[in-house]
Amino acid sequence: MTVFLGLGIAGIVLLALSLIFDGILEGLFGGVLDGLFDGLLSLPVIAGFLSMFGFGGAIMLGATGLGAGAATGVGVAAGVATGWIAWKFSRALMRDQTDATPRGTDLVGTAGSVVTAIPADGYGEVLLRLGGQPVKLAAKSTVPVARGAEIWVEASLSSTSVAVRPVER
C-alpha cells in the first residue's frame, strides 16, 4: 500500500510542477516526437495517470483483500482513464481561440462625437467605440468642429489620437 500511496503523491507533486514546466517532455526530444503522441507525453497527462494509478491501487488494496495484482490492474485502468480525460481536456483548452485584439487602425471609418471642441489644425477630444467599449481620444481636424458634433475617423495618428472630419448631412 505504501508504494501505491507514494505513486499517488508523486503524481500530485508532478501535477503541481506541470503548472510551471508543462511542455518540457515534448521539448526534451528536440522536436523528434512532434505530432507523434499529440500531447500524450504532457506532464498533466502523465501526472493524472500516475496519481490515479497510485491512489486507485491503494483504494483497491485497502478496500479488498485481493492483493497487489488486482490493485495494479485497477490502478492502471483508473490511471489510463484519468490520463485520457486530462489529454482530451487539455486539447479542448488549447483549441479555445479568442478574437483578435482591437487596434487603433480599426477606428478608421467609425463615427463618434466631439467631447471637447476641435480648433482648425488643433486638437480636441472625441468619444468613439472600440471593441464595443467607449474610448476617449485626442482628435485633430483641418476644420473647426464644435462640441457635440458627429465626426468620422479618417486616420489613426497614434495610439491616443485620430484625425477626424465632421459628418455633413
Side-chain angles (χ1 to χ4, degrees), residues 7-27:
L7 287 172
I9 292 169
I12 296 293
V13 169
L14 188 61
L15 186 60
L17 289 175
S18 75
L19 294 173
I20 301 168
F21 298 111
D22 188 31
I24 199 162
L25 289 179
E26 287 103 345

Side-chain angles (χ1 to χ4, degrees), residues 8 10 12 31 54 60 62 75 79 85 93 113 120 124 127-128 141 149 152 158-159 167:
I12 296 293
M60 180 67 176
I85 290 169
L93 288 175
S113 60
L127 185 63
L128 306 168
S141 177
W152 285 99
S158 71
S159 61
V167 173

Side-chain angles (χ1 to χ4, degrees), residues 3 9 11 55-56 103 107 121 133:
V3 173
I9 292 169
F55 290 136
R103 302 187 186 280
L107 290 171
D121 292 322
Q133 298 296 316

Side-chain angles (χ1 to χ4, degrees), residues 92-162:
L93 288 175
M94 294 304 260
R95 279 193 307 263
D96 187 27
Q97 300 294 320
T98 61
D99 290 335
T101 304
R103 302 187 186 280
T105 55
D106 295 337
L107 290 171
V108 175
T110 60
S113 60
V114 177
V115 176
T116 303
I118 305 170
D121 292 322
Y123 281 94
E125 291 178 319
V126 294
L127 185 63
L128 306 168
R129 291 216 171 265
L130 178 62
Q133 298 296 316
V135 177
K136 188 165 105 173
L137 298 172
K140 186 174 187 176
S141 177
T142 56
V143 296
V145 184
R147 180 176 181 256
E150 187 177 357
I151 51 91
W152 285 99
V153 177
E154 291 183 322
S156 177
L157 302 175
S158 71
S159 61
T160 59
S161 64
V162 291

